[in-house]
Amino acid sequence: MKTPVTVTVTGAAGNISYSLLFRIAAGDMLGADQPVILKLLEITPCLEKLKGVVMELDDCAFPLVQEIVATDDPAVAFKDADWCMLVGSVPRKAGMERKDLLGINGKVFVGQGKAIAENAKPDCKVFVVGNPCNTNCLIALHNATGLPKENFFAMTLLDEYRAKSQLAAKAGVPVAEVTNMTIWGNHSSTQYPDFTHARIGGKPATEVITDSEWLKGEFIKTVQQRGAAIIAARGASSAASAANAALMTVKNLVTPTPEGDWFSVSSYSDGSKYGLPEGIICSMPTRTNADGSHSIVEGLELDAFSQEKIAASCKELLEERADVLGC
Ligand code: NAD
Ligand code: LMR
């Protein structure tokens, strides 16, 4: 039997976790033969609700689950963690941008970054879902003294899936035919879903969808505004699709990426790729290598339109960083 992997999930009694935890426990994230220890963090007033979630997890009798720890103490929750999935934070309401949450949520990631550095495994991976996820991830990174910068990630795979689904619908093909989709920049309304490198059925998306006005206009806008559209329709932010993307991001990060393709995840920009600024958590095309390391896909040509869109999103990330400096 494999050694169990310890997965810490914060916000464990929340909406996303209510989908996420059961799929992690079923083996959908780390594999059907990988035992897991689940460490679940909540704020004290939500411990009773978390108790109910743990009862339901118990009642699934998942064979891979070795132990479940439910706590309101970050030191206990992050103890020996291999994966720290930081979901816990307040979602936005209709009419807000995700960055409007920085004042409320940002401070959570100060304490959690410190608790991770002090308690989790030194080679643990930190993956932030709670919004605004890119800058929250940067806050956690700055506070997790001693942990490698390259082990910090924030979620933009949901945006990639949204983009793939829009392209597939427009082209009238199954979504699995859409590959090489990059989200550049911030998980926000400035993100750039890059249709110029996307492929449909192995061909450039721009050859299959020749309506460039749609690609440059409605397509980008729909992806950028999808989170807000879901809040407007559901009265609550995306949860099941967010849980799916969170799970699939970790799966992508632990599984060698199929030849020729890549996936979107936000990670630390060291300033050496595509002229992106140094010191932000920026979404980029990423591959997982056979040895488990991660590389940014290099050599993609960015036309003037793409460069302008990416620059606008990076500018926003720099502004968010400036807002939290000193946090
Ligand atoms: P939710 O309100 O249903 O659940 C959040 C949970 O976090 C609550 O149970 C709350 O008690 C808990 N929490 C708050 N502060 C905490 C702390 N300091 N420690 C531990 N737990 C804490 O919200 P949700 O729908 O699950 O969404 C969670 C976050 O994920 C939101 O910020 C939302 O905007 C974000 N989100 C991000 C993406 C993405 O693509 N990156 C997608 C969807 C949602
Ligand atoms: C999403 O993209 O669905 C989430 O970030 C929630 C939101 O606030 O839009």
Side-chain angles (χ1 to χ4, degrees), residues 32-325:
D33 61 346
Q34 178 57 64
V36 288
I37 295 171
L38 293 175
K39 298 205 171 169
L40 311 181
L41 182 67
E42 258 300 343
I43 51 171
T44 312
C46 289
L47 280 180
E48 192 58 25
K49 188 175 175 196
L50 181 58
K51 203 167 151 190
V53 175
V54 174
M55 285 159 76
E56 287 208 69
L57 282 165
D58 286 342
D59 293 350
C60 292
F62 287 117
L64 292 172
V65 176
Q66 301 292 297
E67 189 188 351
I68 302 176
V69 176
T71 179
D72 59 357
D73 181 350
V76 173
F78 292 118
K79 185 78 192 145
D80 297 330
D82 296 289
W83 279 95
C84 304
M85 301 184 72
L86 308 187
V87 181
S89 50
V90 175
R92 66 174 162 156
K93 304 271 183 307
M96 292 170 80
E97 287 294 332
R98 296 178 186 91
K99 64 185 166 199
D100 298 337
L101 294 167
L102 255 184
I104 310 169
N105 288 339
K107 52 186 176 291
V108 169
F109 296 84
V110 174
Q112 291 186 355
K114 290 185 174 140
I116 290 168
E118 284 161 16
N119 297 284
K121 294 207 177 123
D123 61 348
C124 72
K125 308 279 192 308
V126 179
F127 173 51
V128 179
V129 174
N131 277 322
C133 59
N134 296 62
T135 300
N136 286 340
C137 182
L138 188 68
I139 296 172
L141 180 154
H142 274 283
N143 285 280
T145 312
L147 294 193
K149 289 184 171 68
E150 59 271 19
N151 286 9
F152 286 76
F153 303 95
M155 185 156 100
T156 36
L157 191 66
L158 178 55
D159 307 292
E160 175 185 315
Y161 287 169
R162 289 167 172 169
K164 283 179 161 173
S165 152
Q166 294 300 317
L167 291 182
K170 181 78 173 174
V173 300
V175 73
E177 291 200 19
V178 186
T179 61
N180 302 84
M181 183 72 229
T182 313
I183 302 297
W184 295 92
N186 198 3
H187 173 60
S188 76
S189 54
T190 65
Q191 65 177 275
Y192 174 49
D194 179 0
F195 58 84
T196 69
H197 295 98
R199 301 184 83 81
I200 301 178
K203 295 189 195 144
T206 47
E207 279 178 21
V208 179
I209 300 171
T210 51
D211 183 351
S212 79
E213 202 180 311
W214 180 84
L215 286 168
K216 288 183 169 174
E218 197 181 324
F219 164 67
I220 294 178
K221 192 108 196 132
T222 301
V223 178
Q224 289 175 335
Q225 294 297 334
R226 189 68 161 186
I230 289 168
I231 292 170
R234 227 172 74 82
S237 69
S238 65
S241 58
N244 178 63
L247 178 124
M248 290 304 294
T249 303
V250 174
K251 189 171 178 180
N252 284 340
L253 288 168
V254 299
T255 313
T257 310
E259 210 40 57
D261 204 359
W262 59 73
F263 61 95
S264 303
V265 67
S266 296
S267 63
Y268 187 80
S269 166
D270 64 5
S272 70
K273 311 281 184 323
Y274 297 104
L276 302 169
E278 184 183 355
I280 53 171
I281 300 287
C282 185
S283 187
M284 297 175 272
T286 304
R287 287 182 53 81
T288 299
N289 306 309
D291 65 359
S293 63
H294 305 108
S295 309
I296 306 304
V297 175
E298 296 195 58
L300 300 178
E301 295 232 343
L302 297 170
D303 62 15
F305 179 83
S306 301
Q307 284 184 33
E308 191 189 311
K309 294 283 178 202
I310 294 168
S313 200
C314 288
K315 180 169 172 280
E316 184 185 48
L317 282 167
L318 288 170
E319 286 163 4
E320 288 182 21
R321 185 180 73 176
D323 278 353
V324 300
L325 275 184

